[in-house]
Amino acid sequence: MGSWGSAPRVFFMFVSLLQRKPAKMSNIQDRMQSVPTDDSPPTRPGQVGNIEGSGVPSPRNQQASFGASMKFQYGNGDKPLDGYVIKRGVGSGGFGEVYFAESDSGKEVALKRIQKNLEVEVRGVRHCLNLRHPNLVGIYDIRFDKDEQGWIVMEFIGGESLRERIDRYAETSNPEEAIALFAQLAAGVAYLHDQGIVHRDLKPANVFIDNGLVKIGDYGLSKYISASRRGGQTESVGTFHYMAPEIGRGEYGKEIDIYSLGVILYEMLTGFVPFDGESSQEIILKHLTADPDVSMLPEPYASTIQRALAKNASLRFSDCREMLWAIGWDLDASGLAFRKTTSAPMVSPPVLSNPTSTNTKKQKRVLGNNDPTIAGVSPLQFAANPSEQMNTFQEPIARAFNNKLIELQNWFRNLPPSTRGVAIAIIVVTAVFVGNIVAPIAFLLLCIYACYYVVWYVGGGPEHAKKLAAANMAHVPARNANPVAWNAGHAAPAYPVAGYGAAAAGTQSPVSRPAKPISYKAALRNWQTEQREILSKRGLWSYLHSYTRSWVFSGIVISVLTLAAAVMTHARVDDNATSLVSGITWVGVMSLLASWSIIFFGRRWEKQPEDSIVFRFVMMTVGGLLGAVSYGLSSHLMMPWNELAHSGWEQLNMDGGVLNPGDWNRSWKGFYEGESPLLAAHIAYFASLMWIVRWWRQSDSLRKSRFSVFSIAWTVALAALVQGFFFFPAPWCLAFAGLTSVAVQMASPWIPYEPTTRTA
Amino acid sequence: MKNILWIDGQGGYLLCDSEEVILGQAAPECLADLAIRGDISRRAASIRRVGEEHVLTPLQETYLDGRPLDRPALLPERAKLTLGKRVELAYVRPSKLSCSARIDILSNNRWQPLYTSAVLLSDSCVLGPFEDCHIVCPGWSSRLVLFRKTGEWFCRPPQGETVQVGDMMAGAPFPLKLGQKISSDEFSMILE
């Protein structure tokens, strides 16, 4: 190619850069100042501009130099070239100023003035004049003005450059999208290579994104980059970050583009370049010696980047197609990139926290794929995939119990909705009616289990369990690495979707491939963590607004429901309507107070990760206070608890005697006076109820569904269970729990889970 | 005034100070003040300045923040307008001190002629590197203010700085003239 003769000079330049004293410059602006080489003449006026930064480069900082050097020789209305009116200067790269212009007939174009009118440069562009590919910036023509100055007439790209896109990494990071853009970039480079052209200066600043279409610019010129650089005026040294090590030896094969692609892919996925340093020498040294840290990247990207960044050019991918294959993409007959649909693990960039990386300088990034539907598996199927749900219990009984629970949960989730509704109703009714039998029995069992656990723990149980697990892992890694996978295999006939888990576990190779599709639960969790961070950054006013609004709303919900209940009661019941209405009032007021406290704490807690023990404790304290208020309210309303306790349907079964194990829950000393609960009973009941239900989850903006009947049913069932310990007139305490749950859920804001898009 | 301010290295901004602007399709005999190359009606919607607010009046199918609009509506500080089915615009009043607003196209359509954003001017327009500027220019170090006084537009250079206006230097507010290059060490621009 045309510039082989210049190789020794370039090498000299490379070495001279290495020998230069390290520039210790602290701030960004300083670093962007030009560092002229010894042999470079002062830059001519009108050519100071250089977006790529003439000096010690750092990709992040290129923007900083942007405004400071925006001087253009031509301005709006100028007509340096016959037939074109310049509108404004766009930028200036290593090869000259670029303008946005309109032709006399209204065609929008970019005009690039070739800075140094080297015959060789013009020849290079002429060579590329008739290349045509959607991922290349189109070159329309080469023209000369009156001063014999060369101009390239090109397609005008309105969009941003990849450089700008990466600089916005924090807000735009989306691995799926990044890979799609990268594939287009590689497709463009593949086309250039197919035409026998090496780009030589691939870097994000040369790549543009126009309506989602990637366009590579500066290709005709860059082939002669080294030749023009000999003149020494505006070195595009801003690109050391993307330069292959062999460039120092003057070698310019296709492999240097592959290397640059590797660097760009790395930067697109992580937001930073693999080799960075305070000075150009440091960067070049790293290119020559250091290995990229890919530990935070999932497969297949980690290995793809490693191979593309091999120091030895012959070990890299031999061409762009091979590199695309490695990340699960390919080129179609027209040279456009497309994603191969098979082999899910290859194409899905999964969540991978970085357990082994020691690189703490840059914070660990989780490359999240929040889309649970990848590989064509629906969220439901993932949710039902038991192998995804890690069982953390070591103790065998607890584990077995938990496994059964998970199975039950999965079975339940796969029931048709109507059946589920019936099941919930049955569970609630059962809990209400037999709560005071089940509760003591459950309590007894729990006590027995606690004793057993202590014995198991003291007797060296945990060590034994660990050994057992380790042995299993060693022998049958694919199946038994996860204790639940075994269950999945057996349970498969009962609910077919679980088969996915079994299949996945069965086909996985023993060599650990972390690129497993992420589960719905994990994706949800990731999303929640992300959202919580956003919520925690919310301003005070928006925070105040969000809970005052919830308070008002819950107040309205409760008032409406209680008012309706009171009116209905009054209309239908003749004899003891007054006592019933006072019961309803009690329920309304208590629900209001409870829902307000829950919303208050819920709003505070949704900004942080769940800390169940602390939250429960706080809720229990609140419950104690509510109990005291309830007692006060009851005496103020002169609540006829004795009457109320016998007024409802409760006596239907309670007095039957068969189901009543001797008023166990009523025998607390000093708690009751007849059927009427005293202060201690109020406090005990409310504290337990607030403790046992994870109320904050119901007011969490990031809860799974806006309004969950299941949550309400569960709350009521738990209230019944508590009632089995501390007697409280039955329908009233349950009504309280249910109403509170309804009000909290209705009044709390809700951010629906969006699997694909990351909220910016 | 309905002129484009071309800022080198940043973009082109249509400055429009009329009480009411029509948004519509760019067509040979264009009826719209803000013409968009898109599948919309030639008169799709209008935005009128009423006091310190902007009122959006749908003339054809228009959505405000996703909701179909059948009557005039006040525009909030930030809003997403959808004209027709696909043309999406972002309306934003970046500064609390001024009701000037910027309109950007979000969908893959373009303004006709091709400029970056349209600015609906009330009495001032701030250019600078900050988010609360009407025209955000990354890389600048200070603000430049365009303001209207007795029906004419002036430009106030950044505090304590002088700018070159045509062949003169100016350190105080100067009237804005078409085709006159305004430049400093940091920027250069021309109102066309």
Side-chain angles (χ1 to χ4, degrees), chain A residues 473-493:
Chain A
M473 294 269 259
H475 286 124
V476 202
R479 282 185 72 87
N480 281 11
N482 185 336
V484 201
W486 182 83
N487 271 329
H490 278 251

Side-chain angles (χ1 to χ4, degrees), chain A residues 63-64 66-77 85 87-91 99-100 102 108 156-159 210-211, chain B residues 6-12 37 107-114 116 138-140 181 183-188 190-192:
Chain A
Q63 284 289 308
F66 204 77
S69 55
M70 273 305 146
K71 281 281 173 82
F72 292 86
Q73 190 169 356
Y74 299 99
N76 182 278
V85 187
K87 292 290 176 190
R88 69 174 173 100
V90 175
Y99 297 91
F100 168 52
E102 249 178 36
E108 289 148 3
F156 177 72
I157 310 288
D210 195 25
N211 287 334
Chain B
W6 296 101
I7 309 175
D8 285 334
Q10 305 286 356
R37 301 174 197 162
S107 50
N108 64 359
N109 302 91
R110 296 274 186 257
W111 297 106
Q112 172 67 31
L114 184 60
T116 315
W140 289 22
K181 187 167 177 178
S183 61
S184 79
D185 295 340
E186 258 185 11
F187 60 80
S188 64
I190 296 183
L191 187 67
E192 186 191 4

